[in-house]
Amino acid sequence: MSPKNVIFKKICKDKSVGVYMGKRDFVDRVDSVDPVDGVVVVDPEALEGRKVFVTLSCTFRYGRDDMDVLGVAFRRELYLSTRQVYPPLQDRDKGVHTKIQAKLLRKLGNNAYPFFFEFPDNLPCSVALQPAPHDVGKQCAVEFEIKAFSAESQDAKVRKRSTVKLMLRKVQYAPESQGEAPSVETTKDFIMSDKPLHVKASLDKELYYHGEPIKVNVSIKNDSNKNIKNVIISVDQVATVVLYSNDTYVKCVDIEESGDSVSAGATLQKVYKMLPLLANNRERRGIALDGKLKHEDTNLASSSVIKEGVLKEVLGIMVSYRVMVKLIVGSMMGSSEVGLEIPFRLMHPKPDAVRDSELEEEMVFQEFKRSYLKGIVGDDEDEEGNVSGGDDMAPKEK
């Protein structure tokens, strides 16, 4: 079977407007961001003289909508841009910015019109805090959305049956170069001990990809008269909500209680392998995720990379990772701890660029809403008033 380009589509309930897009994830490269491009297909008869607009919005939600009390806003719109696509305000060919738009216009016919948005450079990436299994409603999240709708004017009341909403993600990929492999060491003196305990911990590199094992090299030289009863290695995710409250959530996403002991005067040299995965943390409330598309799988949030000069306060949720090495030291008076903290980055590898030849392959249209594949009924306002339009608005192959 030959390769095919997947085109995501969604059509409103009254069939007046449909949206077609070649991707749902848009890459933030720190110095630039992929533009949001797509095509809107209209049915002039169903519009009954109404205009068609497309908006790109970025919203930060901190708590559910029903928690808005005493004038406290738990939902803040960080960015909103609107374009009129029909009737077009310029020649249709001038609105074409990408090859996929040009290909879609040829495929979808004369009632298709392009739209194009560029992100400002100070918007956060898509991040969501995982709700507990019993939580209902919207979670704390930075969300991006494309909305197409028909109305008499941009400010007129919009009917849900004439509206299409599509959740997008703004994501970051790992840079080309690695930073210096992190290494931390400490020396601990004890009362009633002439010599100290020396501990060194290091990683084999500074940047890891999601799903890649993290090798933690631990070296212990115990010249003290104390016994080390256990060595515990953990990986912490640190998510800081910087926009409203500066709340910080520290969640352990992987842990190994090795049971290794180091007696007085002995040494230990060992490499521990850690693997932080969302699959092992799905029931844990407050874990930061790469922004989740409805009914689609995701992963632990990637480390945040900040463009120089951009204020952290506007970035919504900042995410970082660290390896914690903890030694449990026994004594006659009880136990004490000696700990080390090693920062690292966890990100996605940069995908291969799409070759021009691949754009010439056959396109396959796929419903943006995929709940019917999993037997899930639309369960929030984003899906209300949107239905699968099939190929009703697309021209038939000749």
Side-chain angles (χ1 to χ4, degrees):
M1 182 179 294
S2 62
K4 296 179 180 179
N5 290 327
V6 174
I7 302 297
F8 301 100
K9 65 176 181 178
K10 199 170 184 182
I11 299 171
C12 68
K13 192 172 184 178
D14 67 6
K15 305 293 180 71
S16 62
V17 180
V19 176
Y20 294 75
M21 299 182 68
K23 57 184 178 180
R24 297 174 292 183
D25 289 347
F26 297 85
V27 180
D28 182 344
R29 295 178 172 81
V30 182
D31 57 347
S32 65
V33 186
D34 286 350
V36 177
D37 61 312
V39 166
V40 169
V41 177
V42 303
D43 183 339
E45 292 185 7
L47 286 175
E48 298 176 340
R50 298 190 303 273
K51 299 177 180 179
V52 176
F53 303 88
V54 179
T55 65
L56 171 65
S57 63
C58 173
T59 303
F60 179 78
R61 188 187 303 275
Y62 191 37
R64 302 190 308 271
D65 289 339
D66 58 10
M67 293 171 63
D68 292 356
V69 293
L70 301 178
V72 178
F74 286 89
R75 184 180 185 276
R76 177 173 169 183
E77 199 165 75
L78 302 181
Y79 178 75
L80 178 67
S81 181
T82 303
R83 305 273 192 273
Q84 178 179 320
V85 294
Y86 180 83
L89 300 179
Q90 61 178 352
D91 183 83
R92 193 171 75 151
D93 291 339
K94 292 182 179 179
V96 177
H97 292 78
T98 64
K99 293 180 179 179
I100 194 67
Q101 282 182 316
K103 187 175 182 181
L104 280 170
L105 290 178
R106 291 194 299 269
K107 172 80 172 181
L108 297 174
N110 294 330
N111 287 329
Y113 299 89
F115 64 85
F116 185 87
F117 294 91
E118 292 185 291
F119 287 105
D121 62 4
N122 62 344
L123 291 181
C125 286
S126 299
V127 179
L129 297 187
Q130 179 168 264
H134 60 274
D135 286 347
V136 296
K138 294 281 190 176
Q139 71 259 53
C140 178
V142 174
E143 298 176 333
F144 290 86
E145 181 184 78
I146 279 286
K147 181 173 75 171
F149 62 94
S150 61
E152 282 71 21
S153 68
Q154 179 178 329
D155 300 321
K157 185 177 180 180
V158 180
R159 300 181 301 180
K160 288 184 178 180
R161 60 185 288 107
S162 303
T163 303
V164 179
K165 295 181 180 181
L166 305 90
M167 300 301 296
L168 310 177
R169 284 189 294 205
K170 180 171 173 278
V171 298
Q172 284 181 323
Y173 292 128
E176 299 288 348
S177 59
Q178 280 270 356
E180 185 177 348
S183 178
V184 181
E185 56 186 305
T186 187
T187 298
K188 175 71 173 178
D189 292 301
F190 299 97
I191 299 174
M192 305 296 290
S193 178
D194 294 336
K195 295 182 179 180
L197 164 68
H198 184 75
V199 187
K200 181 178 180 180
S202 62
L203 306 181
D204 57 331
K205 55 184 180 177
E206 179 263 346
L207 172 63
Y208 293 88
Y209 299 145
H210 291 283
E212 182 180 9
I214 299 169
K215 297 179 181 178
V216 186
N217 192 320
V218 177
S219 176
I220 301 172
K221 185 180 180 184
N222 186 13
D223 291 331
S224 74
N225 58 10
K226 308 295 183 184
N227 292 319
I228 298 172
K229 301 191 297 183
N230 197 4
V231 178
I232 302 173
I233 313 294
S234 62
V235 178
D236 286 349
Q237 180 196 73
V238 182
T240 303
V241 182
V242 296
L243 188 60
Y244 274 107
S245 59
N246 223 33
D247 290 342
T248 297
Y249 301 86
V250 180
K251 301 290 183 180
C252 176
V253 291
D254 193 26
I255 188 169
E256 179 181 340
E257 297 196 31
S258 68
D260 292 334
S261 60
V262 187
S263 58
T267 62
L268 174 70
Q269 182 81 33
K270 186 173 179 179
V271 176
Y272 299 88
K273 290 186 178 181
M274 308 300 292
L275 187 59
L277 294 172
L278 176 59
N280 301 327
N281 293 277
R282 290 198 179 276
E283 303 301 314
R284 300 203 59 202
R285 186 175 190 270
I287 296 286
L289 315 175
D290 274 340
K292 187 174 183 181
L293 295 174
K294 192 165 185 62
H295 306 317
E296 296 291 323
D297 206 0
T298 184
N299 49 262
L300 295 172
S302 298
S303 299
S304 301
V305 179
I306 310 168
K307 182 177 181 179
E308 187 175 351
V310 174
L311 295 175
K312 291 183 179 180
E313 288 71 19
V314 303
L315 294 181
I317 302 174
M318 301 289 296
V319 178
S320 62
Y321 289 89
R322 65 193 186 194
V323 169
M324 303 294 293
V325 178
K326 185 187 298 182
L327 276 56
I328 309 300
V329 182
S331 69
M332 295 180 62
M333 303 298 293
S335 297
S336 60
E337 296 180 359
V338 176
L340 296 176
E341 178 180 318
I342 317 168
F344 70 96
R345 288 187 293 172
L346 183 65
M347 302 186 76
H348 291 285
K350 184 179 179 181
D352 295 332
V354 176
R355 297 186 298 272
D356 289 345
S357 59
E358 293 177 356
L359 291 176
E360 301 306 317
E361 303 294 347
E362 180 184 351
M363 290 189 295
V364 172
F365 292 88
Q366 177 178 297
E367 303 296 341
F368 201 92
K369 178 183 176 183
R370 302 209 297 170
S371 58
Y372 65 89
L373 293 178
K374 301 181 181 181
I376 302 173
V377 178
D379 56 2
D380 70 27
E381 63 186 9
D382 293 334
E383 299 295 345
E384 187 174 344
N386 292 275
V387 298
S388 164
D391 289 317
D392 293 354
M393 299 184 69
K396 303 299 182 183
E397 289 282 2
K398 295 181 180 179

